[in-house]
Amino acid sequence: MKGCGNLLLSVLTLLTPLVAQPNRACTLEVPVGVVTSNAILISGLTADSFVVSTSKTSIRVREAVYDSSARRIVFAIDDRSHLNGPARTIMQAMIEKILASHRAGDSFGIVFGDHPRIAIGDADAVRTALRDSIAQKRSKNQSLLDTIADGANLFGKSQPGDSVLVFAGDDRLNEGHENYRKLYDSLSERRIRVFGILFSFYFGGFGSISRAALWTDMEISPDEKTIHSLTWGSGGYYRQETTNDEGREYKLTNDRLRGVTTLALQMYGAIAEFYRLEIDFPSSQPNIQNWKLGLSSNIANNQNKHVLYPHQLPRCDTTNPQ
C-alpha cells in the first residue's frame, strides 16, 4: 500500500502544472499621467492616490513611481490634410518650441505624410535634418494612419514613456494600409502613448486650444477609428485648434502664437514626466480592457483632475519595457 501511495503522489505532482490557476496574480507596469482640466501636469501623488477597478473587483496599486528620466518622442505630421499655410506655421512653432526647450537626454524623431522620415536623435540634429527633409518628397504619400504607425515603428525596441505626438487636420483614421485595430493593440502591447494636435473646422465658433479645457466626456472605443479614441485610449490626450472660417484661415497674432507654444510645452511636460504604476491584476486574461483608473476621494478637488491611462492593457505575460 505504501508503494501505491507513493505512485499516486508522483502522478499528482506531474499533473499539478496542468491544473488551471484561475486566481494567479499578475503585476503590470502602466504609464499614467495626471493633469488638470487645462492640461497642467500634477506631481506628488503616491500609490494610495489611485483607485483601480474592473467590472468584478477592486485592484491594488502596488507602487507609483514618478518618472522624469530621459524620453523619446516622435512627431507624426500629416502634412497632406487641411494644413494650410497659417496652420503649418502654428505647427512648426510648436515643434520648434519643444525642440528649443528640450530636457537633457530627451531625443526626438519625425515622420511625415509626404516627406522622408527623420531618425530619432538629439534635438539639435533633428532641427537641422528637419529643414532638409521638408525640401524633399516621399516617393509615395502615406495616410495619417500609416504615418502614426510609421512613427511607432521608429522606436524599434520600446522604452518606458515612448510617445507619438500627432499633428493633423483630420480626425479620421479609416484609410491606409495599416489595420487600425492591429495598431491599437500594438500600441497597448508596447506601452506607446499617442498625443495629438488636431486642426479642425468647427461650426460652433472660433476657439483656441491654449484656453480650451480637455474633452473627456466622449466615448473611447478601440474600434472607433479617430484621433480621439487613439490618443485617450493609449493613455495620451489631444487638443483642437478650431476655426469657423471655411478656408481655415488662422489669424497668426503674437498673442495666439504665444498661446499655442505654451500649449506645446504643457503637452511636452505630460509626455516627458508621468507615473509608472505597478498594479496587481487578479489573472492573466489575454487583454484587460474593462478596467478603470481614477483618483482617490482623499485627493483635493479630484473632479477637476484627469487621469491619462491606457484603456487596454497588454497580456500579463508581456515583458515590461526595461
Side-chain angles (χ1 to χ4, degrees), residues 263-315:
L263 170 75
L265 292 182
Q266 289 177 358
M267 189 168 282
Y268 177 33
I271 294 173
E273 301 185 9
F274 62 97
Y275 295 90
R276 295 169 66 174
L277 264 59
E278 285 194 4
I279 304 175
D280 291 336
F281 287 92
S283 67
S284 56
Q285 58 197 58
N287 287 98
I288 303 170
Q289 297 185 40
N290 298 319
W291 77 296
K292 293 183 179 180
L293 176 62
L295 294 177
S296 170
S297 58
N298 62 8
I299 301 298
N301 204 25
N302 66 354
Q303 69 273 15
N304 293 322
K305 297 178 175 66
H306 302 291
V307 181
L308 313 173
Y309 66 97
H311 284 58
Q312 175 175 295
L313 295 178
R315 293 184 299 271

Side-chain angles (χ1 to χ4, degrees), residues 23 47 105 120 122 137 141 163 214 217-218 237 257:
N23 295 318
I120 294 175
D122 65 73
K137 290 286 186 181
N141 292 345
S163 298
L214 295 180
D217 56 350
M218 295 174 63
Y237 69 90
L257 284 175

Side-chain angles (χ1 to χ4, degrees), residues 29 94 106 118-119 144 148 168 218-219 225 227 230 264 302:
E29 182 182 286
M94 298 177 82
D106 285 354
I118 299 173
L144 174 56
I148 295 172
M218 295 174 63
E219 181 182 354
K225 303 174 182 179
I227 290 292
L230 188 64
N302 66 354

Side-chain angles (χ1 to χ4, degrees), residues 9-292:
L9 180 63
S10 299
V11 171
L12 290 175
T13 301
L14 290 172
L15 290 176
T16 297
L18 302 179
V19 177
Q21 304 292 326
N23 295 318
R24 182 169 64 88
C26 168
T27 301
L28 284 177
E29 182 182 286
V30 183
V32 174
V34 183
V35 297
T36 66
S37 296
N38 291 322
I40 305 299
L41 192 65
I42 296 173
S43 59
L45 302 178
T46 66
D48 292 336
S49 303
F50 296 92
V51 177
V52 186
S53 63
T54 66
S55 58
K56 296 182 179 180
T57 183
S58 296
I59 297 173
R60 172 175 175 256
V61 177
R62 179 191 295 267
E63 186 178 23
V65 176
Y66 192 74
D67 189 342
S68 59
S69 58
R71 204 66 62 220
R72 299 193 301 175
I73 303 170
V74 172
F75 302 111
I77 302 174
D78 181 34
D79 44 3
R80 306 173 309 116
S81 64
H82 306 309
L83 293 180
N84 64 357
R88 290 171 188 267
T89 300
I90 291 176
M91 176 192 69
Q92 184 173 348
M94 298 177 82
I95 293 175
E96 287 286 345
K97 187 66 174 180
I98 291 174
L99 293 176
S101 308
H102 71 277
R103 307 177 313 156
D106 285 354
S107 53
F108 305 85
I110 306 180
V111 292
F112 303 86
D114 62 357
H115 299 291
R117 62 164 58 178
I118 299 173
I120 294 175
D122 65 73
D124 292 336
V126 169
R127 292 176 72 180
T128 300
L130 177 59
R131 303 184 188 96
D132 295 335
S133 182
I134 289 179
Q136 305 174 49
K137 290 286 186 181
R138 295 175 59 97
S139 57
K140 187 176 181 180
N141 292 345
Q142 61 182 5
S143 68
L144 174 56
L145 176 63
D146 293 340
T147 301
I148 295 172
D150 195 20
N153 291 335
L154 203 61
F155 290 117
K157 184 178 179 180
S158 300
Q159 296 179 13
D162 283 348
S163 298
V164 177
L165 175 50
V166 180
F167 293 88
D170 195 341
D171 186 42
R172 295 170 298 178
L173 297 174
N174 54 358
E175 297 179 357
H177 298 292
E178 291 288 335
N179 179 286
Y180 175 86
R181 186 54 194 261
K182 287 183 179 180
L183 173 62
Y184 191 98
D185 291 344
S186 174
L187 293 171
S188 166
E189 292 291 331
R190 301 174 63 194
R191 296 168 176 81
I192 296 175
R193 299 175 296 159
V194 179
F195 294 76
I197 303 294
L198 182 63
F199 297 86
S200 62
F201 178 74
Y202 178 57
F203 289 97
F206 188 82
S208 171
I209 47 176
S210 57
R211 298 181 178 87
L214 295 180
W215 293 4
T216 59
D217 56 350
M218 295 174 63
E219 181 182 354
I220 299 169
S221 168
D223 297 312
E224 181 187 280
K225 303 174 182 179
T226 63
I227 290 292
H228 171 83
S229 283
L230 188 64
T231 53
W232 284 97
S234 65
Y237 69 90
Y238 79 108
R239 305 298 294 268
Q240 283 188 284
E241 174 71 1
T242 57
T243 178
N244 62 351
D245 187 308
E246 293 184 4
R248 293 182 171 86
E249 292 297 331
Y250 300 94
K251 296 180 179 179
L252 298 182
T253 64
N254 290 335
D255 180 64
R256 191 167 187 76
L257 284 175
R258 278 193 297 269
V260 296
T261 52
T262 297
L263 170 75
L265 292 182
Q266 289 177 358
M267 189 168 282
Y268 177 33
I271 294 173
E273 301 185 9
F274 62 97
Y275 295 90
R276 295 169 66 174
L277 264 59
E278 285 194 4
I279 304 175
D280 291 336
F281 287 92
S283 67
S284 56
Q285 58 197 58
N287 287 98
I288 303 170
Q289 297 185 40
N290 298 319
W291 77 296
K292 293 183 179 180

